[in-house]
Amino acid sequence: MTEVRAPRGTRDILGEEAFFWQYLEDVVRQNARLFGYEEIRTPVFEHTELFARGVGEGTDIVEKEMYTFTDKGGRSLTLRPEGTAPVVRAYLEHGFFAREPRVKWYYIGPMFRYERPQAGRMRQFHQFGFEALGFGEPSCDAEIVALSWAIYRDLGLRDLSLEINSIGCPLCKPQYIQKLQVYLSDHRERLCENCRRRLAENPLRVLDCKTGQCQDVFRESSFPSIQEFLCPECRRHEERLFRLLENLEIPFTVNPRLVRGLDYYTRTVFEVKVKSLGAQDAIGGGGRYDGLARVLGGPDVPGVGFAAGMERIILLLEKSGVSPRDTFRVYLAPQDEAGEERLLAFSRVLLLYGIPFHLDFASRGLKYHLKRAQKMGMRFVVIVGEEERERDAFSLKDMDSGEQVLLSSADLVERLRKERGTC
Ligand code: AMP
């Protein structure tokens, strides 16, 4: 029988890589705590309609990439392709608008899109995201950008570029769309087939297209810039955001071609890219979506958020050469059953002092334990055999120097604490 494998576009996370994931999640949660964002966990699947409305008919995601199925009750359900629509759905469903309209939430979890898998592009991938609902102020846009920036900075990521644009509001956006439609119609022949079709429905969506031929059209110097069409309110919003980011010393460039092609996105959009990732260079993006709650059947609730692709960040962390493993761990090597008992008791003392350990068991000889400790990168091995038991002590072997000393329990703890730098 052939071996069953993980489905295409999915993968297991294990070994050294799992440490990178924990590290990344720790940094995300730590920053969420500092900025006062609380966790929300929404279901992995939702009614298909949520994404059809909340992501938008005519988008690549809804047209081509959703994992949609009918359940045994005949309902159409979809594995979530993104996190914002579910979060806004939860906000509306739990009546936050009436009792606590301003909330700051974050999430971490898997997303699903039927895409062509390649490095940094998966069918099951993970995002962390932040959403501030009920906040219309440009300072909240600045906070969302600052929050994402703080996470990237804490992770030690370098060579990042932050691009920002404003896509206006229902007042000024339509005039730009009109201008865009005329321009793109004049260059219709140069657009990809998909975009020629989309042009009629919503030319803004065309700007989301990543194909080389369409990107060439967008790069022309005569290409209309939305920046010239912004109404006074949108301009004020944008200028204030820019000033706040300058105060926060967050470097950015304005990219007038950056859009989120959906009707309910308003004003701020931004994207973070990194040079060293090649084709899949976007590691996060966000924006303001003041029209989304209404599209989902709720009242007008302003919102701004951000989502980052975790696989791509993990690739960067792996390249950086730092090991996320706890470098100080103690290998406990009992020589017999009685040694196991003593080391098991001793491990409780280590727990008390927060010293990580790996307890192995007595069925293998000392040679095996030392080899394994070395392979695991352990600096110290604590050995308990007959001699140690008779003298009511522990042997501590320093794998770097080869030195081995006999210590009382109290001295051993003291030494390990000192070595770890926790005294
Ligand atoms: P989006 O929700 O499309 O704005 O994506 C936000 C971020 O998620 C992107 O900047 C990517 O880093 C990441 N991302 C999107 N799609 C995928 C995918 N199929 N595989 C891995 N990461 C992805």
Side-chain angles (χ1 to χ4, degrees), residues 170-194:
L171 215 65
C172 53
K173 196 156 58 168
Q175 286 148 46
Y176 174 66
I177 292 178
Q178 223 170 34
K179 171 91 179 176
L180 190 64
Q181 187 131 37
V182 172
Y183 186 91
L184 291 175
S185 302
D186 288 348
H187 296 78
R188 199 169 187 282
E189 297 315 309
R190 293 174 57 200
L191 298 175
C192 75
E193 209 173 303
N194 233 342

Side-chain angles (χ1 to χ4, degrees), residues 82 113 115 120-122 125 127 260 282-285 307-309 312:
E82 59 96 51
R113 294 183 195 173
E115 296 196 84
R121 184 177 291 281
M122 304 289 298
F125 61 101
Q127 287 184 338
R260 303 221 139 198
I283 55 170
R312 294 179 195 179

Side-chain angles (χ1 to χ4, degrees), residues 253-294:
T253 51
V254 180
N255 175 1
R257 289 163 190 80
L258 182 65
V259 295
R260 303 221 139 198
L262 298 173
D263 300 341
Y264 47 81
Y265 277 99
T266 48
R267 298 185 173 155
T268 313
V269 288
F270 68 96
E271 194 159 64
V272 180
K273 290 186 182 161
V274 61
K275 287 197 191 91
S276 51
L277 271 184
Q280 309 305 325
D281 61 351
I283 55 170
R288 181 162 277 290
Y289 45 82
D290 291 351
L292 179 54
R294 184 168 280 276

Side-chain angles (χ1 to χ4, degrees), residues 203-227:
L204 264 192
R205 265 172 220 174
V206 173
L207 292 197
D208 274 336
C209 183
K210 298 281 184 279
T211 61
Q213 67 187 99
C214 290
Q215 286 289 324
D216 284 345
V217 175
F218 310 155
R219 269 195 287 269
E220 300 273 331
S221 59
S222 55
F223 194 81
S225 164
I226 181 126
Q227 289 289 328

